């Protein structure tokens, strides 16, 4: 069912510093910051040959990243995102297997403008999984 | 400098259960468990179209994963691994940029039989980074 690893998302306390680290120290291709007010985050995409790293920083009040950074002030890996072809079918299958979908279980439009769902980390080894329909 | 994302490593408290989750619930291609006593881990590779997920479980006394699972009993993302062409050159460059290499700074032979180094998570947004020479 799951296809490509679309991205690994890393919550960072200092976006400018993280961009310099990835550009100068790691020599990667780092895109510009993009504010996504409807998601409460500023994102920076790092393009690798086979996938992307998504740097996440809180934007505005009530950001979904703020609590994570309170618990992990130095930052940390926030989630990984797998691509699926049919998100509704994936959800039905996962729920039948006993996995919990976060929120009301309905797909939302994610940071890339495509439908996404998140799976409960307690059902997947403490790892928050995003599924994105491609 | 960094190339492909070689893998995302997830430390799991119950390897058999994690294998079932990835095979049955997520429908992924899950390989057999491999004991790597010299690394103190049992690993399972999940093959995605563009990269790999590496499930890690402690093997024997003094496993490098044991402390992580004590702090995160439900499991969690342990590290991400980027490929580099020249590990010695990468190390020299990273140290010149102020990044710390873990251990004595010399490459070790990693779980895939190739030279690896780990970078200090405090220098990279709380994210443990492995560099593997390909």
């Amino acid at each position: 069912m799951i296809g490509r690893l679309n991205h690994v998302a890393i919550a960072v306390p200092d976006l400018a510093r993280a961009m310099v680290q990835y550009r100068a120290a790691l020599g990667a291709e780092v895109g510009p910051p993009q504010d996504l007010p409807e998601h409460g985050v500023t994102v920076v995409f790092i393009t690798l040959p086979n996938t992307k790293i998504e740097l996440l920083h809180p934007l505005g009040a009530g950001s979904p990243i703020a609590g994570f950074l309170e618990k992990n002030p130095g930052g940390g890996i926030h989630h990984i995102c797998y691509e699926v072809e049919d998100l509704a079918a994936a959800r039905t299958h996962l729920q039948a297997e006993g996995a919990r979908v976060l929120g009301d279980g309905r797909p939302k439009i994610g940071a890339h403008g495509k439908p996404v769902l998140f799976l409960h980390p307690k059902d997947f080894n403490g790892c928050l999984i995003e599924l994105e329909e491609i």
Side-chain angles (χ1 to χ4, degrees), chain A residues 9-19 33-45 53-70 72-76 78-79 111:
Chain A
I10 304 174
V12 305
D14 182 336
L15 196 53
R17 183 158 176 264
M19 290 173 71
Q34 301 172 48
D35 288 345
L36 303 176
E38 70 279 23
H39 293 285
V41 290
T42 302
V43 298
V44 166
F45 288 110
I53 304 295
E54 182 180 281
L55 303 179
L56 294 174
H57 188 71
L59 176 67
S63 169
I65 307 302
F68 182 89
L69 283 175
E70 268 170 38
N72 307 276
H78 184 263
H79 68 266

Side-chain angles (χ1 to χ4, degrees), chain A residues 92-133:
Chain A
T92 302
H93 173 72
L94 280 156
Q95 287 175 332
E97 291 282 336
R100 288 168 285 179
V101 173
L102 294 187
D104 63 9
R106 286 190 222 167
K108 305 266 186 304
I109 298 302
H112 311 148
K114 296 185 174 156
V116 302
L117 284 177
F118 284 89
L119 304 178
H120 201 304
K122 288 205 174 163
D123 294 337
F124 291 97
N125 314 291
C127 173
L128 178 60
I129 293 176
E130 180 180 18
L131 297 178
E132 181 173 312
E133 186 169 279

